[in-house]
Amino acid sequence: MSATTFAPTAFAPTAEAESAVDQRLFRDVMGHLPTGVAAVTGIETETGKPAGMIVGTFQSLSLAPALVTFSVDRSSTSWPRIRTSGRFSISVLAEHQTDVCRALSRKGDDKFAGVDWVPSPENAAPHFRGAAAWLDCETVQELDGGDHVIVVGRVLYMEAGSTEPLVFHRGRLGGYRAPAAA
Ligand SMILES: Cc1cc2nc3c(=O)[nH]c(=O)nc-3n(C[C@H](O)[C@H](O)[C@H](O)COP(=O)(O)O)c2cc1C
């Protein structure tokens, strides 16, 4: 992957289309869709240091080939560092990992201070012990998604744990609650 591919053609909605949607309402409405919480990590090629961020947009895209996707805000400072090696790692966070979520979702260079992690099998990027699942991927495409970039990755390695997932719903972190048996 070349450094220039992080800036796909800018999405340019008309002023009319932009004003038609109330952004706060859009955020509120979409907040009713519960999502998982995934830590995206990588090793920055230049410095050899770990970089990471939290996404609620991680999901599977294709079975054959095995592809996954997530969206990155164009203002992210972590993704340009994660993407330098052309590979990234995912830890699907467990219910008890709100501390990892908080550490990786704040801005700054010291996100990994005091956070326990182990190197992933495929790219040595941080995996978090006790997560619900782990994947290592190579970045195959970055597509235009308005003010976000849609990242597509090919799965190189995957493993599932046995912990319950962390869930993000209506602006709050919580756990998954199984429906009561009928
Ligand atoms: C539950 C949750 C879900 C998030 N989902 C996304 C996401 O899908 N895409 C994104 O770019 N940022 C998302 N963020 C924000 C980033 O994790 C983080 O705040 C940002 O990357 C930090 O800035 P940096 O990239 O400059 O380090 C999410 C944050 C939280 C807490």
Side-chain angles (χ1 to χ4, degrees), residues 37 52-57 71-73 75-79 101 104-108 111 148 168 173:
V37 179
M53 63 188 290
I54 296 296
V55 299
T57 47
S71 309
V72 179
D73 194 311
S75 70
S76 167
T77 56
S78 292
W79 175 244
C101 178
L104 267 71
S105 57
R106 62 168 195 255
K107 291 262 179 197
K111 291 187 182 197
H148 280 56
F168 189 64
L173 294 169

Side-chain angles (χ1 to χ4, degrees), residues 37-43 55 57-63 65-70 79 82 86-93 118-129 131-139 152-161:
V37 179
V40 184
T41 63
I43 297 290
V55 299
T57 47
F58 178 68
Q59 57 184 296
S60 63
L61 177 65
S62 157
L63 267 179
L67 299 176
V68 292
T69 178
F70 60 90
W79 175 244
I82 297 168
R87 293 190 173 195
F88 62 87
S89 287
I90 297 282
S91 294
V92 177
L93 296 186
V118 290
S120 69
E122 284 292 332
N123 46 353
H127 273 187
F128 300 98
R129 277 198 205 95
W134 303 268
L135 299 97
D136 289 342
C137 306
E138 71 172 336
T139 307
V152 178
R154 187 172 70 85
V155 177
L156 304 172
Y157 167 88
M158 60 189 144
E159 185 186 347

